Amino acid sequence: SLLRQKVCLEEYPTNQIRFYNGAKIDLPEDRKVYITRDSKGLAERFKQEFEISGISAAVISVDGVDAPDLPDAGGLVLLPDAFSTASKNSGAIDFLHAAFMLIQKNVPYLKKAAEDKGAFLAGVTFLGGGFGFHDRPLECDPAYGGLAGLIKTAALEYKTILCRALDMPGDIDRCLKSAEAAAALMMTHGAVEMGLDGDSCNIPVLKDLPHPPEPGSILSQDDVVLITGGAKGVTAACGIELARHFSPTLVLLGRSPLPGPEPEWAKDILDPAGLKKAILVHHFKTSPPKPVELEKVYQQIISDRDIRENIARMEESGSTVVYYSADIRNPEALSHVIESIKQQHGSITALIHGAGIKEDKRIADKTLASFARVIETKIKGFDNLIAELVPDELKYMVLFSSVAAR
């Protein structure tokens, strides 16, 4: 039978995690812990707790323009000002930019400290002590949760540095009371993700569960489903299944324009070598291309074929399929598209947000501009979508992140 994996929280006594024999690291004596500043006193409280433990610590200010150079760093605590009303709207994205720059600039110092004795990198979020997997309302902007993804990425790339994504309660008073335990967990070996909720430490794990039964008539031909991410990949697969089961109107939204008809000279050529030969003959008539140029044209033809085939499969199952080209990071362009959809097809009753940009590089090699494009397509794109849609009219909303993030 089919199985699915679901994120579940395994609960442990916090002290059991903290005081497990040999689990806590030590920093070199000449190294310091740096904590990013907040407006509610939590960074200062963390500083006090480290100093009580005999570790030198300092609170620093960061922005998205330039990151401070911290050559004596043995620990970095990325603490967002998530409880401040001034950090609403763009606050989470701005902090993620600053956190990325701070890590990128100072990881070499942490690596050296780790070689000498020990070092850690911690990111603190406030999704309730369970990374948002508790059935509780969130008090802080959930976009700050992206910090955990950044820390998990660092853990994969920097094996010698103890990396900790620490989730705390969504209440500043409870966080202040748990500061001593939080500071200790930042320097304790174990799972990368730990959620601190009073005397409990919650660790997210994937568990195999039975696949749910086939759904009933959750949608119908009268529904309009908006799918971001174009007509390829996982979102196209969703569209094909929705068309097969329910035949709603499917509105596909992608950055690339809808491809036109395939050139006659390329039709019916399925063999990669044969297609590349045809590209050389017909597309590059005047001068031979570089290998990367040939590959680019080849991949574009294959991509266009995928789009046409996926749309055809949706239509064969009875769905009306329309395609719009727009950058969802641009609120004006998106607003124009949404208005056109509503005028021509009626209210949007379901949203699948799968738009994303693949620009994979290691943290050390990635530019801030590239980092921002990837983050903003997910977060700003979603904010722009929600600003245009009527929540009460939405029956379903599905958001895709990276499978690798879990």
Side-chain angles (χ1 to χ4, degrees):
S1 61
L2 286 175
L3 294 176
R4 62 184 176 123
Q5 287 192 311
K6 182 180 179 181
V7 179
C8 300
L9 297 175
E10 288 190 345
E11 184 177 342
Y12 299 89
T14 300
N15 286 343
Q16 177 182 327
I17 304 295
R18 286 182 57 187
F19 299 115
Y20 186 78
N21 187 36
K24 189 172 182 180
I25 66 167
D26 293 312
L27 307 185
E29 291 183 2
D30 60 344
R31 294 289 179 150
K32 183 181 292 187
V33 173
Y34 288 94
I35 310 148
T36 58
R37 189 182 308 278
D38 72 320
S39 62
K40 300 297 181 181
L42 188 55
E44 290 291 343
R45 184 66 65 85
F46 283 157
K47 176 177 178 290
Q48 293 172 13
E49 296 300 340
F50 284 117
E51 290 174 340
I52 290 171
S53 299
I55 300 170
S56 179
V59 176
I60 59 172
S61 298
V62 296
D63 56 41
V65 178
D66 193 20
D69 190 56
L70 309 170
D72 61 343
L76 279 181
V77 180
L78 306 175
L79 175 69
D81 197 14
F83 293 106
S84 170
T85 55
S87 67
K88 300 296 183 183
N89 299 324
S90 65
I93 290 179
D94 290 345
F95 184 80
L96 291 173
H97 290 175
F100 167 77
M101 294 172 65
L102 192 63
I103 293 173
Q104 189 179 60
K105 178 173 282 190
N106 292 287
V107 149
Y109 305 132
L110 295 182
K111 290 171 69 175
K112 181 61 171 63
E115 291 172 6
D116 294 343
K117 195 171 188 180
F120 75 93
L121 169 66
V124 184
T125 53
F126 304 97
L127 303 179
F131 295 92
F133 293 110
H134 284 130
D135 291 327
R136 304 171 185 168
L138 299 178
E139 301 299 327
C140 297
D141 186 346
Y144 284 109
L147 184 59
L150 185 56
I151 297 297
K152 287 188 287 182
T153 300
L156 293 172
E157 297 185 19
Y158 308 115
K159 300 292 188 180
T160 60
I161 301 171
L162 192 161
C163 296
R164 171 67 23 69
L166 182 66
D167 191 49
M168 298 189 71
D171 178 89
I172 186 60
D173 292 331
R174 293 185 63 201
C175 289
L176 291 168
K177 291 178 182 177
S178 300
E180 188 262 342
L185 288 177
M186 292 176 197
M187 299 179 63
T188 302
H189 283 295
V192 176
E193 295 174 290
M194 292 186 181
L196 182 58
D197 187 11
D199 294 329
S200 298
C201 182
N202 299 306
I203 297 178
V205 295
L206 286 173
K207 290 189 176 180
D208 291 337
L209 297 174
H211 195 277
E214 285 286 314
S217 298
I218 57 176
L219 295 171
S220 72
Q221 290 182 326
D222 297 328
D223 285 294
V224 178
V225 182
L226 175 61
I227 303 177
T228 73
K232 296 191 301 179
V234 66
T235 48
C238 289
I240 290 168
E241 287 301 307
L242 287 173
R244 187 168 68 88
H245 285 280
F246 312 112
S247 301
T249 295
L250 298 175
V251 181
L252 310 180
L253 186 59
R255 285 179 297 135
S256 305
L258 187 66
E262 185 165 284
E264 289 295 328
W265 52 261
K267 288 183 177 178
D268 301 323
I269 303 178
L270 302 180
D271 175 58
L275 181 55
K276 289 181 179 180
K277 184 177 180 179
I279 292 170
L280 285 171
V281 172
H282 296 279
H283 190 84
F284 296 100
K285 295 179 180 179
T286 57
S287 60
K290 296 177 181 178
V292 67
E293 294 172 332
L294 174 61
E295 184 66 21
K296 182 177 180 181
V297 175
Y298 169 77
Q299 291 296 339
Q300 187 62 58
I301 291 174
I302 297 301
S303 173
D304 290 349
R305 284 179 176 178
D306 285 343
I307 291 174
R308 295 189 200 96
E309 180 183 350
N310 289 333
I311 291 176
R313 290 178 65 186
M314 296 174 202
E315 291 175 334
E316 287 168 3
S317 293
S319 280
T320 298
V321 183
V322 290
Y323 186 99
Y324 288 86
S325 177
D327 185 346
I328 60 173
R329 295 175 300 170
N330 184 326
E332 291 78 16
L334 182 63
S335 179
H336 177 75
V337 167
I338 297 296
E339 185 60 33
S340 177
I341 294 169
K342 291 178 178 178
Q343 288 180 359
Q344 297 183 43
H345 305 286
S347 297
I348 295 168
T349 53
L351 169 66
I352 298 176
H353 179 38
I357 296 178
K358 185 178 180 181
E359 295 187 7
D360 295 348
K361 282 190 177 180
R362 292 181 177 273
I363 291 172
D365 303 322
K366 199 168 186 66
T367 66
L368 178 61
S370 174
F371 180 83
R373 282 192 295 271
V374 174
I375 290 290
E376 291 175 10
T377 299
K378 287 293 184 187
I379 300 177
K380 279 191 176 179
F382 179 67
D383 285 344
N384 292 338
L385 286 164
I386 291 301
E388 294 296 329
L389 301 179
V390 180
D392 290 345
E393 295 177 349
L394 286 176
K395 297 179 180 178
Y396 296 96
M397 182 165 62
V398 179
L399 312 180
F400 279 94
S401 179
S402 166
V403 172
R406 184 47 57 189

Coordinates of all heavy atoms in Angstrom, one line a residue, residues 268-338:
D268 N 9.1 15.5 -34.4 CA 9.2 14.0 -34.5 C 10.7 13.5 -34.3 O 11.0 12.4 -34.4 CB 8.7 13.5 -35.8 CG 7.2 13.8 -36.0 OD1 6.5 13.8 -35.0 OD2 6.8 14.1 -37.2
I269 N 11.6 14.4 -33.9 CA 13.0 14.0 -33.6 C 13.1 13.8 -32.1 O 13.1 14.8 -31.4 CB 14.0 15.0 -34.1 CG1 13.9 15.3 -35.6 CG2 15.4 14.5 -33.8 CD1 14.8 16.3 -36.2
L270 N 13.1 12.6 -31.7 CA 13.2 12.3 -30.2 C 14.6 12.0 -29.7 O 14.9 12.2 -28.6 CB 12.3 11.1 -29.9 CG 10.8 11.3 -30.3 CD1 10.0 10.1 -30.0 CD2 10.2 12.5 -29.7
D271 N 15.4 11.5 -30.6 CA 16.8 11.2 -30.2 C 17.6 12.5 -30.0 O 17.7 13.4 -30.8 CB 17.5 10.4 -31.4 CG 18.9 10.1 -31.1 OD1 19.2 9.5 -30.1 OD2 19.8 10.6 -31.9
P272 N 18.2 12.6 -28.7 CA 19.0 13.8 -28.4 C 20.0 14.1 -29.4 O 20.2 15.3 -29.8 CB 19.6 13.5 -27.1 CG 18.6 12.5 -26.5 CD 18.2 11.7 -27.6
A273 N 20.8 13.1 -29.9 CA 21.9 13.4 -30.8 C 21.3 13.9 -32.2 O 21.8 14.8 -32.8 CB 22.7 12.2 -31.1
G274 N 20.2 13.3 -32.6 CA 19.5 13.7 -33.8 C 19.0 15.1 -33.8 O 19.1 15.9 -34.7
L275 N 18.4 15.5 -32.6 CA 17.8 16.8 -32.4 C 18.9 17.8 -32.4 O 18.8 18.9 -33.0 CB 17.0 16.9 -31.2 CG 16.3 18.2 -30.9 CD1 15.4 18.7 -32.0 CD2 15.5 18.1 -29.6
K276 N 20.1 17.5 -31.8 CA 21.2 18.5 -31.7 C 21.8 18.7 -33.1 O 22.2 19.8 -33.5 CB 22.2 18.0 -30.7 CG 21.7 18.2 -29.3 CD 22.8 17.7 -28.3 CE 22.3 17.9 -26.8 NZ 23.3 17.5 -25.8
K277 N 21.8 17.6 -33.9 CA 22.3 17.7 -35.3 C 21.4 18.7 -36.1 O 21.9 19.5 -36.8 CB 22.4 16.4 -35.9 CG 23.0 16.4 -37.3 CD 23.1 15.0 -37.8 CE 23.7 15.0 -39.2 NZ 23.8 13.6 -39.8
A278 N 20.1 18.5 -35.9 CA 19.1 19.3 -36.6 C 19.2 20.8 -36.1 O 19.1 21.7 -37.0 CB 17.7 18.8 -36.3
I279 N 19.5 21.0 -34.9 CA 19.7 22.4 -34.4 C 20.9 23.0 -35.0 O 20.9 24.2 -35.5 CB 19.9 22.4 -32.8 CG1 18.6 22.0 -32.2 CG2 20.3 23.8 -32.3 CD1 18.7 21.7 -30.7
L280 N 22.0 22.3 -35.2 CA 23.2 22.8 -35.8 C 22.9 23.2 -37.3 O 23.4 24.2 -37.8 CB 24.3 21.7 -35.8 CG 25.0 21.5 -34.4 CD1 25.9 20.3 -34.5 CD2 25.8 22.7 -34.0
V281 N 22.1 22.4 -37.9 CA 21.9 22.6 -39.4 C 20.9 23.8 -39.5 O 21.1 24.7 -40.4 CB 21.3 21.4 -40.0 CG1 20.8 21.7 -41.4 CG2 22.3 20.2 -40.0
H282 N 19.9 23.9 -38.7 CA 18.8 24.8 -39.0 C 18.9 26.1 -38.1 O 18.4 27.2 -38.6 CB 17.4 24.2 -38.8 CG 17.2 23.1 -39.7 ND1 16.7 23.3 -41.0 CD2 17.3 21.7 -39.6 CE1 16.5 22.1 -41.6 NE2 16.9 21.1 -40.8
H283 N 19.3 26.0 -36.9 CA 19.3 27.1 -36.0 C 20.6 27.9 -36.1 O 20.6 29.2 -35.9 CB 19.1 26.7 -34.5 CG 18.8 27.8 -33.6 ND1 17.6 28.3 -33.4 CD2 19.7 28.5 -32.7 CE1 17.6 29.3 -32.5 NE2 18.9 29.4 -32.1
F284 N 21.7 27.3 -36.3 CA 23.0 28.0 -36.3 C 23.5 27.8 -37.8 O 24.5 27.1 -38.1 CB 24.0 27.4 -35.3 CG 23.6 27.5 -33.9 CD1 23.0 26.5 -33.2 CD2 23.8 28.7 -33.3 CE1 22.7 26.7 -31.9 CE2 23.5 28.9 -31.9 CZ 22.9 27.9 -31.2
K285 N 22.9 28.5 -38.7 CA 23.2 28.4 -40.1 C 24.5 29.1 -40.5 O 25.3 28.6 -41.3 CB 22.1 29.0 -40.9 CG 20.8 28.2 -40.8 CD 19.7 28.8 -41.7 CE 18.4 28.1 -41.6 NZ 17.3 28.7 -42.4
T286 N 24.8 30.2 -39.8 CA 25.9 31.1 -40.3 C 27.2 30.8 -39.6 O 28.3 30.9 -40.2 CB 25.6 32.6 -40.0 OG1 25.3 32.8 -38.6 CG2 24.4 33.0 -40.9
S287 N 27.2 30.3 -38.3 CA 28.4 30.1 -37.6 C 28.2 29.0 -36.6 O 27.1 28.9 -36.0 CB 28.9 31.3 -36.9 OG 28.0 31.8 -35.9
P288 N 29.2 28.1 -36.4 CA 29.0 27.0 -35.4 C 28.9 27.6 -34.0 O 29.6 28.5 -33.6 CB 30.3 26.2 -35.6 CG 31.3 27.2 -36.1 CD 30.5 28.1 -37.0
P289 N 28.0 27.0 -33.1 CA 27.8 27.5 -31.8 C 28.9 26.9 -30.8 O 29.5 25.9 -31.1 CB 26.4 27.0 -31.4 CG 26.3 25.7 -32.1 CD 27.1 25.9 -33.4
K290 N 29.0 27.5 -29.7 CA 29.7 26.9 -28.6 C 28.8 25.8 -28.0 O 27.6 25.9 -28.1 CB 30.0 28.0 -27.5 CG 30.9 29.1 -27.9 CD 31.1 30.1 -26.8 CE 32.0 31.3 -27.3 NZ 32.2 32.3 -26.2
P291 N 29.5 24.8 -27.3 CA 28.7 23.7 -26.8 C 27.6 24.2 -25.8 O 26.5 23.7 -25.8 CB 29.7 22.9 -26.0 CG 31.0 23.2 -26.8 CD 30.9 24.6 -27.2
V292 N 27.8 25.3 -25.0 CA 26.8 25.7 -24.1 C 25.7 26.4 -24.8 O 24.5 26.3 -24.4 CB 27.5 26.7 -23.1 CG1 27.9 28.0 -23.8 CG2 26.5 27.1 -21.9
E293 N 25.9 27.0 -26.0 CA 24.9 27.6 -26.8 C 24.0 26.5 -27.4 O 22.7 26.7 -27.4 CB 25.5 28.5 -27.8 CG 26.2 29.7 -27.3 CD 26.9 30.5 -28.4 OE1 27.4 29.9 -29.4 OE2 27.1 31.7 -28.2
L294 N 24.6 25.5 -27.9 CA 23.9 24.4 -28.5 C 23.0 23.7 -27.4 O 21.8 23.4 -27.7 CB 24.8 23.3 -29.1 CG 24.2 22.0 -29.6 CD1 23.2 22.3 -30.7 CD2 25.3 21.1 -30.0
E295 N 23.5 23.5 -26.2 CA 22.8 22.9 -25.2 C 21.6 23.7 -24.7 O 20.5 23.2 -24.4 CB 23.7 22.6 -24.0 CG 23.0 21.9 -22.8 CD 22.6 20.5 -23.1 OE1 23.2 19.9 -24.1 OE2 21.7 19.9 -22.4
K296 N 21.8 25.1 -24.7 CA 20.7 26.0 -24.3 C 19.5 25.9 -25.3 O 18.3 25.8 -24.8 CB 21.2 27.4 -24.3 CG 20.2 28.4 -23.8 CD 20.8 29.8 -23.7 CE 19.7 30.8 -23.2 NZ 20.3 32.2 -23.2
V297 N 19.8 25.8 -26.6 CA 18.7 25.7 -27.6 C 18.0 24.4 -27.4 O 16.8 24.3 -27.5 CB 19.2 26.0 -29.0 CG1 18.1 25.7 -30.0 CG2 19.8 27.4 -29.1
Y298 N 18.8 23.3 -27.3 CA 18.3 22.0 -27.1 C 17.3 21.9 -25.9 O 16.2 21.4 -26.0 CB 19.4 21.0 -27.0 CG 19.0 19.6 -26.5 CD1 18.4 18.7 -27.5 CD2 19.1 19.2 -25.2 CE1 18.0 17.5 -27.1 CE2 18.7 17.9 -24.8 CZ 18.1 17.1 -25.7 OH 17.7 15.8 -25.4
Q299 N 17.8 22.4 -24.7 CA 17.0 22.4 -23.5 C 15.7 23.2 -23.7 O 14.7 22.8 -23.1 CB 17.8 22.9 -22.3 CG 18.9 21.9 -21.9 CD 18.4 20.6 -21.4 OE1 17.3 20.4 -21.0 NE2 19.3 19.6 -21.4
Q300 N 15.8 24.3 -24.4 CA 14.6 25.1 -24.6 C 13.5 24.3 -25.4 O 12.3 24.4 -25.1 CB 14.9 26.4 -25.3 CG 13.8 27.4 -25.4 CD 13.3 27.8 -24.1 OE1 14.0 28.4 -23.3 NE2 12.0 27.6 -23.8
I301 N 14.0 23.6 -26.4 CA 13.0 22.8 -27.2 C 12.4 21.7 -26.4 O 11.2 21.5 -26.4 CB 13.8 22.2 -28.5 CG1 14.1 23.3 -29.4 CG2 12.9 21.2 -29.2 CD1 15.0 22.9 -30.6
I302 N 13.2 21.1 -25.6 CA 12.7 20.0 -24.7 C 11.7 20.6 -23.7 O 10.7 20.0 -23.4 CB 13.8 19.3 -24.0 CG1 14.8 18.6 -25.0 CG2 13.3 18.3 -22.9 CD1 14.1 17.6 -25.8
S303 N 12.1 21.8 -23.1 CA 11.2 22.4 -22.1 C 9.8 22.8 -22.8 O 8.8 22.6 -22.2 CB 11.9 23.7 -21.6 OG 11.0 24.4 -20.8
D304 N 9.9 23.3 -24.0 CA 8.7 23.7 -24.7 C 7.8 22.5 -25.0 O 6.6 22.6 -24.9 CB 9.0 24.5 -26.0 CG 9.6 25.8 -25.7 OD1 9.5 26.3 -24.6 OD2 10.1 26.5 -26.7
R305 N 8.4 21.4 -25.3 CA 7.7 20.2 -25.5 C 7.0 19.7 -24.3 O 5.8 19.3 -24.3 CB 8.6 19.1 -26.0 CG 9.1 19.2 -27.4 CD 10.0 18.1 -27.8 NE 10.4 18.1 -29.2 CZ 11.2 17.3 -29.8 NH1 11.8 16.3 -29.1 NH2 11.5 17.4 -31.1
D306 N 7.7 19.8 -23.1 CA 7.0 19.4 -21.9 C 5.8 20.3 -21.6 O 4.8 19.7 -21.2 CB 8.0 19.6 -20.7 CG 9.1 18.5 -20.7 OD1 8.9 17.4 -21.3 OD2 10.1 18.7 -20.0
I307 N 5.9 21.6 -21.8 CA 4.8 22.5 -21.6 C 3.6 22.1 -22.4 O 2.5 22.0 -22.0 CB 5.2 23.9 -21.8 CG1 6.2 24.4 -20.7 CG2 4.0 24.9 -21.8 CD1 6.8 25.7 -20.9
R308 N 3.8 21.9 -23.7 CA 2.7 21.6 -24.7 C 2.1 20.3 -24.3 O 0.9 20.1 -24.3 CB 3.3 21.5 -26.1 CG 3.8 22.8 -26.7 CD 4.0 22.7 -28.1 NE 4.9 23.8 -28.6 CZ 6.2 23.6 -28.7 NH1 6.8 22.5 -28.4 NH2 7.0 24.6 -29.1
E309 N 2.9 19.3 -24.0 CA 2.4 18.0 -23.6 C 1.6 18.0 -22.3 O 0.5 17.4 -22.2 CB 3.6 17.0 -23.4 CG 3.1 15.6 -23.1 CD 4.3 14.6 -22.9 OE1 5.4 15.0 -23.2 OE2 4.0 13.5 -22.4
N310 N 2.1 18.7 -21.3 CA 1.3 18.8 -20.0 C 0.0 19.5 -20.2 O -1.0 19.1 -19.6 CB 2.2 19.5 -19.0 CG 3.4 18.7 -18.5 OD1 3.3 17.5 -18.6 ND2 4.5 19.4 -18.1
I311 N 0.0 20.6 -20.9 CA -1.3 21.3 -21.2 C -2.2 20.4 -21.9 O -3.5 20.3 -21.6 CB -1.0 22.6 -21.9 CG1 -0.3 23.6 -21.0 CG2 -2.3 23.2 -22.4 CD1 0.1 24.9 -21.7
A312 N -1.7 19.7 -22.9 CA -2.6 18.8 -23.7 C -3.2 17.7 -22.8 O -4.4 17.4 -23.0 CB -1.8 18.1 -24.9
R313 N -2.4 17.2 -21.9 CA -2.9 16.1 -21.0 C -4.0 16.7 -20.1 O -5.0 16.0 -19.8 CB -1.8 15.5 -20.2 CG -0.8 14.7 -21.0 CD 0.3 14.2 -20.1 NE -0.1 13.2 -19.1 CZ 0.6 12.7 -18.1 NH1 1.9 13.1 -18.1 NH2 0.1 11.9 -17.3
M314 N -3.9 17.9 -19.6 CA -4.9 18.5 -18.8 C -6.2 18.7 -19.6 O -7.3 18.4 -19.1 CB -4.4 19.9 -18.3 CG -3.2 19.8 -17.3 SD -2.6 21.4 -16.9 CE -0.9 21.1 -16.4
E315 N -6.0 19.2 -20.8 CA -7.2 19.4 -21.7 C -7.9 18.1 -22.1 O -9.1 18.1 -22.1 CB -6.8 20.2 -22.9 CG -6.4 21.6 -22.6 CD -5.9 22.4 -23.8 OE1 -5.3 21.7 -24.7 OE2 -5.9 23.6 -23.8
E316 N -7.1 17.1 -22.3 CA -7.7 15.8 -22.6 C -8.6 15.2 -21.5 O -9.5 14.4 -21.7 CB -6.6 14.8 -22.9 CG -5.9 15.0 -24.3 CD -4.6 14.2 -24.4 OE1 -4.3 13.4 -23.5 OE2 -3.9 14.4 -25.4
S317 N -8.3 15.6 -20.2 CA -9.1 15.2 -19.1 C -10.3 16.1 -18.9 O -11.0 15.9 -17.9 CB -8.2 15.1 -17.8 OG -7.2 14.2 -18.0
G318 N -10.5 17.1 -19.7 CA -11.7 17.9 -19.6 C -11.6 19.2 -19.0 O -12.6 20.0 -18.9
S319 N -10.4 19.6 -18.6 CA -10.2 21.0 -18.0 C -10.0 22.0 -19.1 O -9.4 21.8 -20.2 CB -8.9 21.0 -17.1 OG -9.3 20.4 -15.9
T320 N -10.5 23.2 -18.9 CA -10.2 24.4 -19.6 C -8.8 24.9 -19.1 O -8.7 25.1 -17.9 CB -11.2 25.5 -19.5 OG1 -12.5 25.0 -20.1 CG2 -10.8 26.7 -20.3
V321 N -7.8 25.1 -19.9 CA -6.5 25.4 -19.5 C -6.1 26.8 -20.1 O -6.2 26.9 -21.3 CB -5.5 24.4 -19.8 CG1 -4.1 24.8 -19.3 CG2 -5.9 23.0 -19.3
V322 N -5.7 27.7 -19.3 CA -5.3 29.0 -19.8 C -3.9 29.3 -19.2 O -3.6 28.9 -18.0 CB -6.2 30.2 -19.5 CG1 -7.5 30.0 -20.3 CG2 -6.6 30.2 -18.0
Y323 N -3.1 30.0 -19.9 CA -1.7 30.3 -19.4 C -1.4 31.7 -19.5 O -1.7 32.4 -20.5 CB -0.7 29.5 -20.3 CG 0.7 29.6 -19.9 CD1 1.3 28.6 -19.2 CD2 1.5 30.7 -20.2 CE1 2.6 28.6 -18.7 CE2 2.8 30.8 -19.7 CZ 3.4 29.7 -19.0 OH 4.7 29.8 -18.6
Y324 N -0.9 32.3 -18.4 CA -0.5 33.7 -18.3 C 1.0 33.7 -17.9 O 1.5 32.9 -17.2 CB -1.3 34.4 -17.2 CG -2.7 34.7 -17.5 CD1 -3.7 33.7 -17.3 CD2 -3.1 35.9 -18.1 CE1 -5.0 33.9 -17.5 CE2 -4.5 36.1 -18.4 CZ -5.4 35.1 -18.1 OH -6.7 35.4 -18.4
S325 N 1.7 34.7 -18.5 CA 3.1 35.0 -18.2 C 3.2 36.2 -17.3 O 2.7 37.3 -17.7 CB 3.9 35.1 -19.5 OG 5.2 35.4 -19.2
A326 N 3.8 36.1 -16.1 CA 4.0 37.2 -15.2 C 5.0 36.8 -14.2 O 5.1 35.6 -13.8 CB 2.7 37.6 -14.6
D327 N 5.7 37.8 -13.7 CA 6.6 37.6 -12.5 C 5.8 37.9 -11.3 O 5.4 39.1 -11.0 CB 7.8 38.6 -12.7 CG 8.8 38.4 -11.6 OD1 8.5 37.7 -10.6 OD2 10.0 38.9 -11.7
I328 N 5.6 36.9 -10.4 CA 4.7 37.1 -9.3 C 5.3 38.0 -8.2 O 4.7 38.5 -7.3 CB 4.3 35.8 -8.6 CG1 5.5 35.0 -8.2 CG2 3.4 35.0 -9.6 CD1 5.0 33.8 -7.4
R329 N 6.6 38.3 -8.4 CA 7.3 39.3 -7.5 C 6.9 40.7 -7.7 O 7.0 41.6 -6.9 CB 8.8 39.2 -7.5 CG 9.4 37.8 -7.1 CD 10.9 37.8 -7.3 NE 11.2 37.9 -8.8 CZ 12.4 38.1 -9.2 NH1 13.4 38.2 -8.4 NH2 12.6 38.3 -10.5
N330 N 6.3 40.9 -8.9 CA 5.9 42.3 -9.4 C 4.4 42.4 -9.1 O 3.5 41.9 -9.8 CB 6.1 42.4 -10.9 CG 5.8 43.8 -11.4 OD1 4.9 44.5 -10.9 ND2 6.6 44.3 -12.3
P331 N 4.0 43.2 -8.0 CA 2.6 43.3 -7.6 C 1.7 43.9 -8.7 O 0.6 43.5 -8.8 CB 2.6 44.1 -6.3 CG 3.9 44.8 -6.4 CD 4.9 44.0 -7.1
E332 N 2.2 44.9 -9.4 CA 1.4 45.5 -10.4 C 1.1 44.5 -11.6 O -0.1 44.4 -12.0 CB 2.1 46.8 -11.0 CG 2.2 47.9 -10.0 CD 3.3 47.7 -9.0 OE1 4.2 46.8 -9.2 OE2 3.3 48.4 -8.0
A333 N 2.1 43.8 -12.0 CA 1.9 42.9 -13.1 C 1.0 41.7 -12.7 O 0.1 41.3 -13.4 CB 3.2 42.3 -13.6
L334 N 1.1 41.3 -11.5 CA 0.3 40.2 -11.0 C -1.2 40.7 -10.8 O -2.1 39.9 -11.1 CB 0.8 39.7 -9.6 CG 0.0 38.5 -9.0 CD1 0.1 37.3 -9.9 CD2 0.6 38.2 -7.6
S335 N -1.3 41.9 -10.3 CA -2.7 42.4 -10.1 C -3.4 42.5 -11.5 O -4.6 42.1 -11.5 CB -2.6 43.8 -9.5 OG -3.9 44.4 -9.4
H336 N -2.7 42.9 -12.5 CA -3.3 42.9 -13.8 C -3.8 41.5 -14.3 O -4.9 41.4 -14.8 CB -2.4 43.6 -14.8 CG -2.9 43.6 -16.2 ND1 -3.8 44.5 -16.7 CD2 -2.6 42.8 -17.3 CE1 -4.1 44.3 -17.9 NE2 -3.3 43.3 -18.4
V337 N -2.9 40.5 -14.1 CA -3.2 39.2 -14.5 C -4.4 38.6 -13.7 O -5.3 38.0 -14.3 CB -2.0 38.3 -14.3 CG1 -2.4 36.8 -14.4 CG2 -0.9 38.6 -15.3
I338 N -4.4 38.8 -12.4 CA -5.5 38.3 -11.5 C -6.8 38.9 -11.9 O -7.9 38.2 -12.0 CB -5.2 38.6 -10.0 CG1 -4.0 37.8 -9.6 CG2 -6.4 38.2 -9.2 CD1 -4.1 36.3 -9.6

